[in-house]
Amino acid sequence: SNEVGCQFVDMTVEDTNIGKQKKERIRFKVINSLPVLSNLTISFLQYNNESGIGFQENNIKNIYDNAESDNLIVKVTAQNAHDPDGNIARFFWYYYPKENPNKILETRSTPGDINYTFFTVPRIPGEYMFGVKMYDNDEAQNKSEDIIGNGPTVFFPPTNNNPDIPIVT
């Protein structure tokens, strides 16, 4: 918005008893507030069985008893996402291997009024982290990692018993 940056207000004070006026220009800087969220959660919607986990819940869950697909459908939701001084224009979603945050495996984009998206994650052994970048109406951005730290993860263990059961942490 055009209010961001250096601004000023011209103020005039008048004392009618003595007939004097004083004019003053007050300068101030308007700073854009970045979008925020309270939590980033993931849930799993396959097989008519939704279960989910949020940030810092320290739970481990087996999602399937017997898996029927090579992929896991993951719904990622930005909880209580908002921009204190405007609105969120769009969300930019991504996930990556925990050991390499620079290796973005897939991205999605949604408008600012849609605070969730879906990823189809192949069940390849490894640990995968999810994140979102929020852009406000001033094109400023804020990443979920900068607000809440590391987001939720999905872990596919290479076990001999059942390699198709993911663990969520």
Side-chain angles (χ1 to χ4, degrees), residues 45-150:
L45 306 174
Q46 42 277 317
Y47 312 120
N48 298 319
N49 180 22
E50 178 171 351
S51 73
I53 186 166
F55 172 65
Q56 285 187 339
E57 291 182 16
N58 295 325
N59 290 334
I60 294 177
K61 294 186 181 183
N62 285 344
I63 305 304
Y64 305 105
D65 287 331
N66 32 12
E68 299 174 10
S69 169
D70 290 337
N71 298 318
L72 177 68
I73 300 169
V74 179
K75 179 181 181 184
V76 186
T77 305
Q79 302 288 340
N80 301 313
H82 67 282
D83 181 16
D85 63 355
N87 62 288
I88 295 176
R90 68 185 185 281
F91 292 95
F92 182 76
W93 309 89
Y94 49 89
Y95 79 95
Y96 52 88
K98 183 176 182 178
E99 71 276 1
N100 188 355
N102 295 321
K103 184 180 179 182
I104 302 297
L105 297 173
E106 195 172 353
T107 62
R108 296 268 188 278
S109 184
T110 60
D113 57 344
I114 307 292
N115 70 330
Y116 62 89
T117 195
F118 296 91
F119 287 103
T120 302
V121 180
R123 285 197 246 190
I124 300 168
E127 192 166 3
Y128 304 98
M129 302 192 85
F130 296 84
V132 65
K133 199 181 290 184
M134 299 170 290
Y135 291 85
D136 71 8
N137 52 301
D138 295 307
E139 281 302 304
Q141 58 178 292
N142 207 0
K143 290 170 61 172
S144 56
E145 291 92 341
D146 295 335
I147 302 170
I148 61 170
N150 289 334

